[in-house]
Amino acid sequence: MDIKVLGPLTAEACGQSIVPTAAKPRQILSLLAVHANHVLPVPTLMEEIWGHALPRSALTTLQTYILQLRRKLVAAYGVSSAEISRDILVTRHGGYLLQIQPGAVDVHEYDRLAAAGREAFDHGDDESASLYLSQALGLWQGPALVDVRTGPILEIELARLEESRLSTLERRIEAELRMGKDAILLAELSELTARHPLHEGLHAQRMVALYRSGRPWQALEVFQHLRSRLIDELGLEPSPRVKRLQQAVLCGDPALEYDGTHRRRVLDLFAA
């Protein structure tokens, strides 16, 4: 089985799509896939579909959706319904379990690669960190479950994934800054700061990349744009670390220069 949720939902078994056309069974499949090999309690599945306004027929309707998914699996695998119920889409402990091989769902592979990248980064192995984190980010084909209606349970997971994606991206850029790839990163950082106009970490990375590329005046412009947006939209000044970074650019602080030895994050260099 091969399931992708980091973008449009796709799910294939033996080369045949098992994605339902109806919205609510798609939600059920998505939730089961994200939590594959873990039992999802019936109340959790019902909350995803109906929130707290459960219809009287909720349990029966949920069972119907599960039956529809099992029929898709029967058709794909060419085995009996009893085998599917025993080995793949299993009823267990007051819930349901999608039992599949490790790595069959892209989000699990993403989490594995992102964790490996974080570990390499924390140990100062920037080359491996960049490789792992780039592979993790390469699994994304757009916003997660972009074509699936989501309820409260999936919304929590999507928020986690989007936060993780941004953190993974920031860490990958940080590793590559520590490798001296400043000029290569400029175009990407320009796009990212435009898409995330209030994100201090990305702006700080762009400031450092510009400074090291011989463009300190543009680094200062980046700070001013960030400060203006923060004040206009949130009524906040940039954090003390970002302000210290601005002062470092103004003063030509040697800490900004690439020397191949820095193992701290850009903003951590200017922590109090």
Side-chain angles (χ1 to χ4, degrees), residues 37-219:
N37 299 319
H38 293 85
V39 176
L40 273 174
V42 165
T44 299
L45 290 163
M46 292 196 296
E47 182 180 353
E48 167 62 24
I49 297 298
W50 294 288
H52 297 294
L54 298 181
R56 291 185 179 180
S57 61
L59 180 58
T60 302
T61 304
L62 175 62
Q63 292 169 341
T64 300
Y65 296 153
I66 296 294
L67 179 60
Q68 291 174 11
L69 292 176
R70 283 176 172 156
R71 285 174 178 164
K72 288 272 189 182
L73 291 165
V74 166
Y77 282 107
V79 298
S80 69
S81 178
E83 289 175 280
I84 295 297
S85 300
R86 183 190 66 215
D87 299 328
I88 300 178
L89 185 45
V90 184
T91 303
R92 187 177 293 173
H93 307 307
Y96 294 98
L97 165 69
L98 183 62
Q99 194 163 263
I100 55 180
Q101 65 272 29
V105 186
D106 61 352
V107 69
H108 300 161
E109 185 66 4
Y110 163 78
D111 284 334
R112 183 188 70 81
L113 288 166
R118 286 194 300 272
E119 184 175 1
F121 181 88
D122 290 343
H123 285 85
D125 185 353
D126 296 322
E127 189 170 339
S128 294
S130 174
L131 177 62
Y132 283 128
L133 298 172
S134 295
Q135 289 176 341
L137 293 165
L139 294 173
W140 287 75
Q141 302 299 314
L145 295 174
V146 66
D147 58 347
V148 175
R149 185 178 68 182
T150 56
I153 308 302
L154 277 176
E155 285 292 341
I156 292 170
E157 181 63 19
L158 295 187
R160 178 194 78 83
L161 283 171
E162 193 54 41
E163 182 63 31
S164 173
R165 182 186 190 183
L166 190 56
S167 175
T168 298
L169 178 61
E170 187 180 1
R171 188 175 282 106
R172 192 220 86 215
I173 292 171
E174 194 74 40
E176 293 176 1
L177 282 173
R178 297 196 315 200
M179 295 163 67
K181 296 185 177 181
D182 313 287
I184 297 173
L185 292 167
L186 283 176
E188 182 180 11
L189 283 167
S190 177
E191 177 188 355
L192 287 170
T193 51
R195 287 169 50 195
H196 302 281
L198 303 178
H199 195 293
E200 288 195 342
L202 292 172
H203 282 75
Q205 289 175 333
R206 188 180 175 200
M207 288 172 67
V208 170
L210 285 165
Y211 180 88
R212 291 178 181 171
S213 299
R215 295 149 70 177
W217 69 94
Q218 286 183 288

